[in-house]
Amino acid sequence: MQAVEFTTELHGAASFPIPGNIAAQLPKSGIARVIVLTHSDDDAEWQTAAYEQFLKDDSEEDAAYEALA
């Protein structure tokens, strides 16, 4: 399986453009699985909160695992 990632802008149409350099990487025939991920302002807020949580110190319960390293 080969993955190709790109971004494109949606305009409310039933289709969206695939950049030419990406289209050139695709096989001429076969089956493709397409997954569409969209970004919103909510995504940015969630990512910021997740990053801030990641940077917090470990809890006392997790400190026991550091002695094993």
Side-chain angles (χ1 to χ4, degrees), residues 6-40:
F6 64 94
T7 58
T8 191
E9 188 158 342
L10 303 176
H11 297 285
S15 61
F16 54 86
I18 298 175
N21 62 329
I22 298 298
Q25 297 177 42
L26 300 175
K28 301 300 178 202
S29 63
I31 298 173
R33 178 173 55 170
V34 178
I35 300 171
V36 178
L37 303 173
T38 59
H39 297 279
S40 69

PDB file of all heavy atoms in Angstrom, residues 6-40:
ATOM      1  N   PHE A   6      -1.832  15.209   0.311  1.00  0.00           N
ATOM      2  CA  PHE A   6      -1.811  16.555  -0.249  1.00  0.00           C
ATOM      3  C   PHE A   6      -2.951  17.348   0.367  1.00  0.00           C
ATOM      4  O   PHE A   6      -3.843  16.796   0.981  1.00  0.00           O
ATOM      5  CB  PHE A   6      -1.945  16.523  -1.784  1.00  0.00           C
ATOM      6  CG  PHE A   6      -3.253  15.966  -2.269  1.00  0.00           C
ATOM      7  CD1 PHE A   6      -4.317  16.799  -2.556  1.00  0.00           C
ATOM      8  CD2 PHE A   6      -3.413  14.607  -2.456  1.00  0.00           C
ATOM      9  CE1 PHE A   6      -5.526  16.293  -3.008  1.00  0.00           C
ATOM     10  CE2 PHE A   6      -4.610  14.084  -2.909  1.00  0.00           C
ATOM     11  CZ  PHE A   6      -5.667  14.921  -3.189  1.00  0.00           C
ATOM     12  N   THR A   7      -2.878  18.655   0.204  1.00  0.00           N
ATOM     13  CA  THR A   7      -3.987  19.499   0.635  1.00  0.00           C
ATOM     14  C   THR A   7      -4.591  20.159  -0.599  1.00  0.00           C
ATOM     15  O   THR A   7      -3.899  20.393  -1.593  1.00  0.00           O
ATOM     16  CB  THR A   7      -3.533  20.589   1.634  1.00  0.00           C
ATOM     17  OG1 THR A   7      -2.519  21.381   1.025  1.00  0.00           O
ATOM     18  CG2 THR A   7      -3.000  19.977   2.913  1.00  0.00           C
ATOM     19  N   THR A   8      -5.860  20.427  -0.540  1.00  0.00           N
ATOM     20  CA  THR A   8      -6.573  21.097  -1.615  1.00  0.00           C
ATOM     21  C   THR A   8      -7.680  21.924  -0.993  1.00  0.00           C
ATOM     22  O   THR A   8      -8.024  21.720   0.171  1.00  0.00           O
ATOM     23  CB  THR A   8      -7.129  20.070  -2.640  1.00  0.00           C
ATOM     24  OG1 THR A   8      -7.601  20.755  -3.790  1.00  0.00           O
ATOM     25  CG2 THR A   8      -8.226  19.225  -2.046  1.00  0.00           C
ATOM     26  N   GLU A   9      -8.214  22.850  -1.740  1.00  0.00           N
ATOM     27  CA  GLU A   9      -9.277  23.696  -1.214  1.00  0.00           C
ATOM     28  C   GLU A   9     -10.626  23.221  -1.735  1.00  0.00           C
ATOM     29  O   GLU A   9     -10.780  22.954  -2.928  1.00  0.00           O
ATOM     30  CB  GLU A   9      -9.051  25.150  -1.602  1.00  0.00           C
ATOM     31  CG  GLU A   9     -10.023  26.071  -0.906  1.00  0.00           C
ATOM     32  CD  GLU A   9      -9.523  27.504  -0.831  1.00  0.00           C
ATOM     33  OE1 GLU A   9      -8.316  27.725  -0.998  1.00  0.00           O
ATOM     34  OE2 GLU A   9     -10.360  28.374  -0.600  1.00  0.00           O
ATOM     35  N   LEU A  10     -11.579  23.116  -0.832  1.00  0.00           N
ATOM     36  CA  LEU A  10     -12.929  22.706  -1.196  1.00  0.00           C
ATOM     37  C   LEU A  10     -13.744  23.942  -1.563  1.00  0.00           C
ATOM     38  O   LEU A  10     -13.634  24.979  -0.910  1.00  0.00           O
ATOM     39  CB  LEU A  10     -13.591  21.958  -0.040  1.00  0.00           C
ATOM     40  CG  LEU A  10     -12.834  20.722   0.469  1.00  0.00           C
ATOM     41  CD1 LEU A  10     -13.541  20.138   1.678  1.00  0.00           C
ATOM     42  CD2 LEU A  10     -12.701  19.688  -0.629  1.00  0.00           C
ATOM     43  N   HIS A  11     -14.576  23.806  -2.599  1.00  0.00           N
ATOM     44  CA  HIS A  11     -15.379  24.935  -3.062  1.00  0.00           C
ATOM     45  C   HIS A  11     -16.862  24.588  -3.141  1.00  0.00           C
ATOM     46  O   HIS A  11     -17.607  25.225  -3.869  1.00  0.00           O
ATOM     47  CB  HIS A  11     -14.887  25.398  -4.435  1.00  0.00           C
ATOM     48  CG  HIS A  11     -13.491  25.912  -4.410  1.00  0.00           C
ATOM     49  ND1 HIS A  11     -13.148  27.136  -3.889  1.00  0.00           N
ATOM     50  CD2 HIS A  11     -12.324  25.355  -4.826  1.00  0.00           C
ATOM     51  CE1 HIS A  11     -11.848  27.316  -3.983  1.00  0.00           C
ATOM     52  NE2 HIS A  11     -11.319  26.253  -4.551  1.00  0.00           N
ATOM     53  N   GLY A  12     -17.296  23.558  -2.423  1.00  0.00           N
ATOM     54  CA  GLY A  12     -18.701  23.207  -2.422  1.00  0.00           C
ATOM     55  C   GLY A  12     -19.124  22.343  -3.597  1.00  0.00           C
ATOM     56  O   GLY A  12     -20.293  22.008  -3.729  1.00  0.00           O
ATOM     57  N   ALA A  13     -18.211  21.979  -4.458  1.00  0.00           N
ATOM     58  CA  ALA A  13     -18.532  21.137  -5.611  1.00  0.00           C
ATOM     59  C   ALA A  13     -18.500  19.673  -5.198  1.00  0.00           C
ATOM     60  O   ALA A  13     -18.040  19.319  -4.121  1.00  0.00           O
ATOM     61  CB  ALA A  13     -17.535  21.389  -6.732  1.00  0.00           C
ATOM     62  N   ALA A  14     -18.986  18.817  -6.082  1.00  0.00           N
ATOM     63  CA  ALA A  14     -19.004  17.378  -5.809  1.00  0.00           C
ATOM     64  C   ALA A  14     -17.633  16.746  -6.017  1.00  0.00           C
ATOM     65  O   ALA A  14     -17.444  15.570  -5.719  1.00  0.00           O
ATOM     66  CB  ALA A  14     -20.032  16.695  -6.707  1.00  0.00           C
ATOM     67  N   SER A  15     -16.682  17.495  -6.519  1.00  0.00           N
ATOM     68  CA  SER A  15     -15.327  16.979  -6.717  1.00  0.00           C
ATOM     69  C   SER A  15     -14.330  18.038  -6.267  1.00  0.00           C
ATOM     70  O   SER A  15     -14.679  19.197  -6.072  1.00  0.00           O
ATOM     71  CB  SER A  15     -15.102  16.619  -8.187  1.00  0.00           C
ATOM     72  OG  SER A  15     -15.247  17.772  -8.994  1.00  0.00           O
ATOM     73  N   PHE A  16     -13.077  17.636  -6.109  1.00  0.00           N
ATOM     74  CA  PHE A  16     -12.037  18.583  -5.745  1.00  0.00           C
ATOM     75  C   PHE A  16     -10.773  18.264  -6.533  1.00  0.00           C
ATOM     76  O   PHE A  16     -10.561  17.117  -6.932  1.00  0.00           O
ATOM     77  CB  PHE A  16     -11.759  18.598  -4.234  1.00  0.00           C
ATOM     78  CG  PHE A  16     -11.453  17.258  -3.643  1.00  0.00           C
ATOM     79  CD1 PHE A  16     -10.161  16.746  -3.654  1.00  0.00           C
ATOM     80  CD2 PHE A  16     -12.459  16.504  -3.064  1.00  0.00           C
ATOM     81  CE1 PHE A  16      -9.884  15.517  -3.105  1.00  0.00           C
ATOM     82  CE2 PHE A  16     -12.188  15.273  -2.514  1.00  0.00           C
ATOM     83  CZ  PHE A  16     -10.894  14.778  -2.535  1.00  0.00           C
ATOM     84  N   PRO A  17      -9.935  19.259  -6.781  1.00  0.00           N
ATOM     85  CA  PRO A  17      -8.754  19.046  -7.616  1.00  0.00           C
ATOM     86  C   PRO A  17      -7.656  18.270  -6.884  1.00  0.00           C
ATOM     87  O   PRO A  17      -7.455  18.432  -5.685  1.00  0.00           O
ATOM     88  CB  PRO A  17      -8.288  20.461  -7.947  1.00  0.00           C
ATOM     89  CG  PRO A  17      -8.835  21.315  -6.853  1.00  0.00           C
ATOM     90  CD  PRO A  17     -10.105  20.657  -6.405  1.00  0.00           C
ATOM     91  N   ILE A  18      -6.985  17.420  -7.640  1.00  0.00           N
ATOM     92  CA  ILE A  18      -5.784  16.731  -7.166  1.00  0.00           C
ATOM     93  C   ILE A  18      -4.607  17.423  -7.849  1.00  0.00           C
ATOM     94  O   ILE A  18      -4.585  17.522  -9.082  1.00  0.00           O
ATOM     95  CB  ILE A  18      -5.811  15.235  -7.523  1.00  0.00           C
ATOM     96  CG1 ILE A  18      -6.998  14.551  -6.845  1.00  0.00           C
ATOM     97  CG2 ILE A  18      -4.493  14.562  -7.136  1.00  0.00           C
ATOM     98  CD1 ILE A  18      -7.179  13.101  -7.237  1.00  0.00           C
ATOM     99  N   PRO A  19      -3.638  17.918  -7.092  1.00  0.00           N
ATOM    100  CA  PRO A  19      -2.507  18.608  -7.711  1.00  0.00           C
ATOM    101  C   PRO A  19      -1.809  17.714  -8.744  1.00  0.00           C
ATOM    102  O   PRO A  19      -1.711  16.497  -8.569  1.00  0.00           O
ATOM    103  CB  PRO A  19      -1.571  18.907  -6.524  1.00  0.00           C
ATOM    104  CG  PRO A  19      -2.474  18.901  -5.324  1.00  0.00           C
ATOM    105  CD  PRO A  19      -3.539  17.895  -5.625  1.00  0.00           C
ATOM    106  N   GLY A  20      -1.345  18.324  -9.814  1.00  0.00           N
ATOM    107  CA  GLY A  20      -0.729  17.589 -10.910  1.00  0.00           C
ATOM    108  C   GLY A  20       0.444  16.719 -10.489  1.00  0.00           C
ATOM    109  O   GLY A  20       0.564  15.572 -10.941  1.00  0.00           O
ATOM    110  N   ASN A  21       1.307  17.239  -9.608  1.00  0.00           N
ATOM    111  CA  ASN A  21       2.462  16.448  -9.172  1.00  0.00           C
ATOM    112  C   ASN A  21       2.037  15.222  -8.363  1.00  0.00           C
ATOM    113  O   ASN A  21       2.705  14.194  -8.382  1.00  0.00           O
ATOM    114  CB  ASN A  21       3.449  17.304  -8.385  1.00  0.00           C
ATOM    115  CG  ASN A  21       2.850  17.875  -7.108  1.00  0.00           C
ATOM    116  OD1 ASN A  21       1.654  18.146  -7.029  1.00  0.00           O
ATOM    117  ND2 ASN A  21       3.684  18.068  -6.109  1.00  0.00           N
ATOM    118  N   ILE A  22       0.913  15.304  -7.683  1.00  0.00           N
ATOM    119  CA  ILE A  22       0.380  14.162  -6.932  1.00  0.00           C
ATOM    120  C   ILE A  22      -0.263  13.175  -7.897  1.00  0.00           C
ATOM    121  O   ILE A  22      -0.049  11.964  -7.808  1.00  0.00           O
ATOM    122  CB  ILE A  22      -0.637  14.625  -5.870  1.00  0.00           C
ATOM    123  CG1 ILE A  22       0.017  15.550  -4.848  1.00  0.00           C
ATOM    124  CG2 ILE A  22      -1.302  13.437  -5.190  1.00  0.00           C
ATOM    125  CD1 ILE A  22       1.129  14.925  -4.033  1.00  0.00           C
ATOM    126  N   ALA A  23      -1.044  13.675  -8.832  1.00  0.00           N
ATOM    127  CA  ALA A  23      -1.698  12.808  -9.816  1.00  0.00           C
ATOM    128  C   ALA A  23      -0.664  11.998 -10.589  1.00  0.00           C
ATOM    129  O   ALA A  23      -0.902  10.830 -10.915  1.00  0.00           O
ATOM    130  CB  ALA A  23      -2.552  13.640 -10.759  1.00  0.00           C
ATOM    131  N   ALA A  24       0.502  12.573 -10.858  1.00  0.00           N
ATOM    132  CA  ALA A  24       1.552  11.865 -11.596  1.00  0.00           C
ATOM    133  C   ALA A  24       2.108  10.685 -10.792  1.00  0.00           C
ATOM    134  O   ALA A  24       2.630   9.732 -11.369  1.00  0.00           O
ATOM    135  CB  ALA A  24       2.679  12.836 -11.952  1.00  0.00           C
ATOM    136  N   GLN A  25       1.980  10.718  -9.478  1.00  0.00           N
ATOM    137  CA  GLN A  25       2.482   9.635  -8.625  1.00  0.00           C
ATOM    138  C   GLN A  25       1.505   8.468  -8.521  1.00  0.00           C
ATOM    139  O   GLN A  25       1.880   7.388  -8.075  1.00  0.00           O
ATOM    140  CB  GLN A  25       2.748  10.154  -7.209  1.00  0.00           C
ATOM    141  CG  GLN A  25       3.819  11.210  -7.112  1.00  0.00           C
ATOM    142  CD  GLN A  25       3.957  11.702  -5.685  1.00  0.00           C
ATOM    143  OE1 GLN A  25       3.924  10.931  -4.742  1.00  0.00           O
ATOM    144  NE2 GLN A  25       4.089  13.011  -5.526  1.00  0.00           N
ATOM    145  N   LEU A  26       0.267   8.686  -8.917  1.00  0.00           N
ATOM    146  CA  LEU A  26      -0.761   7.658  -8.769  1.00  0.00           C
ATOM    147  C   LEU A  26      -0.681   6.644  -9.900  1.00  0.00           C
ATOM    148  O   LEU A  26      -0.349   6.997 -11.036  1.00  0.00           O
ATOM    149  CB  LEU A  26      -2.149   8.311  -8.750  1.00  0.00           C
ATOM    150  CG  LEU A  26      -2.394   9.319  -7.628  1.00  0.00           C
ATOM    151  CD1 LEU A  26      -3.757   9.963  -7.805  1.00  0.00           C
ATOM    152  CD2 LEU A  26      -2.268   8.668  -6.275  1.00  0.00           C
ATOM    153  N   PRO A  27      -1.002   5.387  -9.619  1.00  0.00           N
ATOM    154  CA  PRO A  27      -1.037   4.391 -10.681  1.00  0.00           C
ATOM    155  C   PRO A  27      -2.139   4.728 -11.691  1.00  0.00           C
ATOM    156  O   PRO A  27      -3.108   5.411 -11.360  1.00  0.00           O
ATOM    157  CB  PRO A  27      -1.337   3.075  -9.966  1.00  0.00           C
ATOM    158  CG  PRO A  27      -1.590   3.402  -8.549  1.00  0.00           C
ATOM    159  CD  PRO A  27      -1.321   4.832  -8.316  1.00  0.00           C
ATOM    160  N   LYS A  28      -1.981   4.255 -12.914  1.00  0.00           N
ATOM    161  CA  LYS A  28      -2.953   4.558 -13.968  1.00  0.00           C
ATOM    162  C   LYS A  28      -4.253   3.787 -13.800  1.00  0.00           C
ATOM    163  O   LYS A  28      -5.286   4.171 -14.321  1.00  0.00           O
ATOM    164  CB  LYS A  28      -2.353   4.261 -15.350  1.00  0.00           C
ATOM    165  CG  LYS A  28      -1.095   5.057 -15.636  1.00  0.00           C
ATOM    166  CD  LYS A  28      -1.368   6.544 -15.589  1.00  0.00           C
ATOM    167  CE  LYS A  28      -0.093   7.331 -15.817  1.00  0.00           C
ATOM    168  NZ  LYS A  28      -0.122   8.656 -15.323  1.00  0.00           N
ATOM    169  N   SER A  29      -4.238   2.682 -13.062  1.00  0.00           N
ATOM    170  CA  SER A  29      -5.459   1.908 -12.832  1.00  0.00           C
ATOM    171  C   SER A  29      -5.352   1.211 -11.485  1.00  0.00           C
ATOM    172  O   SER A  29      -4.286   1.173 -10.882  1.00  0.00           O
ATOM    173  CB  SER A  29      -5.660   0.878 -13.954  1.00  0.00           C
ATOM    174  OG  SER A  29      -4.599  -0.051 -13.957  1.00  0.00           O
ATOM    175  N   GLY A  30      -6.451   0.668 -11.030  1.00  0.00           N
ATOM    176  CA  GLY A  30      -6.479  -0.018  -9.746  1.00  0.00           C
ATOM    177  C   GLY A  30      -7.491   0.623  -8.819  1.00  0.00           C
ATOM    178  O   GLY A  30      -8.256   1.500  -9.214  1.00  0.00           O
ATOM    179  N   ILE A  31      -7.466   0.182  -7.593  1.00  0.00           N
ATOM    180  CA  ILE A  31      -8.405   0.666  -6.582  1.00  0.00           C
ATOM    181  C   ILE A  31      -7.662   1.595  -5.631  1.00  0.00           C
ATOM    182  O   ILE A  31      -6.546   1.302  -5.213  1.00  0.00           O
ATOM    183  CB  ILE A  31      -9.025  -0.517  -5.806  1.00  0.00           C
ATOM    184  CG1 ILE A  31      -9.820  -1.399  -6.774  1.00  0.00           C
ATOM    185  CG2 ILE A  31      -9.896  -0.031  -4.666  1.00  0.00           C
ATOM    186  CD1 ILE A  31     -10.327  -2.676  -6.154  1.00  0.00           C
ATOM    187  N   ALA A  32      -8.291   2.685  -5.294  1.00  0.00           N
ATOM    188  CA  ALA A  32      -7.712   3.628  -4.336  1.00  0.00           C
ATOM    189  C   ALA A  32      -8.703   3.865  -3.209  1.00  0.00           C
ATOM    190  O   ALA A  32      -9.908   3.911  -3.428  1.00  0.00           O
ATOM    191  CB  ALA A  32      -7.396   4.951  -5.023  1.00  0.00           C
ATOM    192  N   ARG A  33      -8.203   3.974  -2.014  1.00  0.00           N
ATOM    193  CA  ARG A  33      -9.034   4.338  -0.869  1.00  0.00           C
ATOM    194  C   ARG A  33      -8.779   5.817  -0.604  1.00  0.00           C
ATOM    195  O   ARG A  33      -7.641   6.236  -0.436  1.00  0.00           O
ATOM    196  CB  ARG A  33      -8.669   3.507   0.355  1.00  0.00           C
ATOM    197  CG  ARG A  33      -9.488   3.887   1.570  1.00  0.00           C
ATOM    198  CD  ARG A  33      -9.266   2.977   2.726  1.00  0.00           C
ATOM    199  NE  ARG A  33      -7.860   2.890   3.080  1.00  0.00           N
ATOM    200  CZ  ARG A  33      -7.407   2.309   4.176  1.00  0.00           C
ATOM    201  NH1 ARG A  33      -8.247   1.732   5.005  1.00  0.00           N
ATOM    202  NH2 ARG A  33      -6.131   2.270   4.438  1.00  0.00           N
ATOM    203  N   VAL A  34      -9.818   6.599  -0.551  1.00  0.00           N
ATOM    204  CA  VAL A  34      -9.699   8.039  -0.354  1.00  0.00           C
ATOM    205  C   VAL A  34     -10.259   8.390   1.016  1.00  0.00           C
ATOM    206  O   VAL A  34     -11.373   8.016   1.361  1.00  0.00           O
ATOM    207  CB  VAL A  34     -10.478   8.811  -1.452  1.00  0.00           C
ATOM    208  CG1 VAL A  34     -10.398  10.304  -1.209  1.00  0.00           C
ATOM    209  CG2 VAL A  34      -9.938   8.441  -2.830  1.00  0.00           C
ATOM    210  N   ILE A  35      -9.461   9.107   1.802  1.00  0.00           N
ATOM    211  CA  ILE A  35      -9.877   9.570   3.121  1.00  0.00           C
ATOM    212  C   ILE A  35      -9.758  11.089   3.109  1.00  0.00           C
ATOM    213  O   ILE A  35      -8.693  11.625   2.814  1.00  0.00           O
ATOM    214  CB  ILE A  35      -8.983   8.968   4.232  1.00  0.00           C
ATOM    215  CG1 ILE A  35      -9.075   7.453   4.199  1.00  0.00           C
ATOM    216  CG2 ILE A  35      -9.359   9.534   5.586  1.00  0.00           C
ATOM    217  CD1 ILE A  35      -8.081   6.757   5.089  1.00  0.00           C
ATOM    218  N   VAL A  36     -10.821  11.772   3.415  1.00  0.00           N
ATOM    219  CA  VAL A  36     -10.822  13.229   3.417  1.00  0.00           C
ATOM    220  C   VAL A  36     -10.848  13.717   4.859  1.00  0.00           C
ATOM    221  O   VAL A  36     -11.769  13.410   5.610  1.00  0.00           O
ATOM    222  CB  VAL A  36     -12.039  13.780   2.635  1.00  0.00           C
ATOM    223  CG1 VAL A  36     -12.057  15.307   2.688  1.00  0.00           C
ATOM    224  CG2 VAL A  36     -12.015  13.278   1.203  1.00  0.00           C
ATOM    225  N   LEU A  37      -9.838  14.465   5.239  1.00  0.00           N
ATOM    226  CA  LEU A  37      -9.761  15.084   6.560  1.00  0.00           C
ATOM    227  C   LEU A  37      -9.880  16.588   6.363  1.00  0.00           C
ATOM    228  O   LEU A  37      -9.163  17.164   5.556  1.00  0.00           O
ATOM    229  CB  LEU A  37      -8.419  14.758   7.233  1.00  0.00           C
ATOM    230  CG  LEU A  37      -8.086  13.283   7.399  1.00  0.00           C
ATOM    231  CD1 LEU A  37      -6.666  13.117   7.909  1.00  0.00           C
ATOM    232  CD2 LEU A  37      -9.069  12.636   8.348  1.00  0.00           C
ATOM    233  N   THR A  38     -10.765  17.213   7.081  1.00  0.00           N
ATOM    234  CA  THR A  38     -10.915  18.661   6.966  1.00  0.00           C
ATOM    235  C   THR A  38     -10.411  19.332   8.236  1.00  0.00           C
ATOM    236  O   THR A  38     -10.385  18.736   9.308  1.00  0.00           O
ATOM    237  CB  THR A  38     -12.379  19.045   6.712  1.00  0.00           C
ATOM    238  OG1 THR A  38     -13.175  18.567   7.790  1.00  0.00           O
ATOM    239  CG2 THR A  38     -12.877  18.450   5.408  1.00  0.00           C
ATOM    240  N   HIS A  39      -9.991  20.554   8.106  1.00  0.00           N
ATOM    241  CA  HIS A  39      -9.489  21.341   9.233  1.00  0.00           C
ATOM    242  C   HIS A  39     -10.501  22.418   9.565  1.00  0.00           C
ATOM    243  O   HIS A  39     -11.141  22.976   8.686  1.00  0.00           O
ATOM    244  CB  HIS A  39      -8.151  22.002   8.885  1.00  0.00           C
ATOM    245  CG  HIS A  39      -7.065  21.031   8.607  1.00  0.00           C
ATOM    246  ND1 HIS A  39      -6.341  20.415   9.590  1.00  0.00           N
ATOM    247  CD2 HIS A  39      -6.590  20.537   7.442  1.00  0.00           C
ATOM    248  CE1 HIS A  39      -5.460  19.599   9.042  1.00  0.00           C
ATOM    249  NE2 HIS A  39      -5.588  19.652   7.744  1.00  0.00           N
ATOM    250  N   SER A  40     -10.617  22.716  10.837  1.00  0.00           N
ATOM    251  CA  SER A  40     -11.485  23.804  11.276  1.00  0.00           C
ATOM    252  C   SER A  40     -10.823  24.515  12.446  1.00  0.00           C
ATOM    253  O   SER A  40      -9.801  24.079  12.957  1.00  0.00           O
ATOM    254  CB  SER A  40     -12.855  23.264  11.697  1.00  0.00           C
ATOM    255  OG  SER A  40     -12.736  22.520  12.885  1.00  0.00           O
TER     256      SER A  40
END
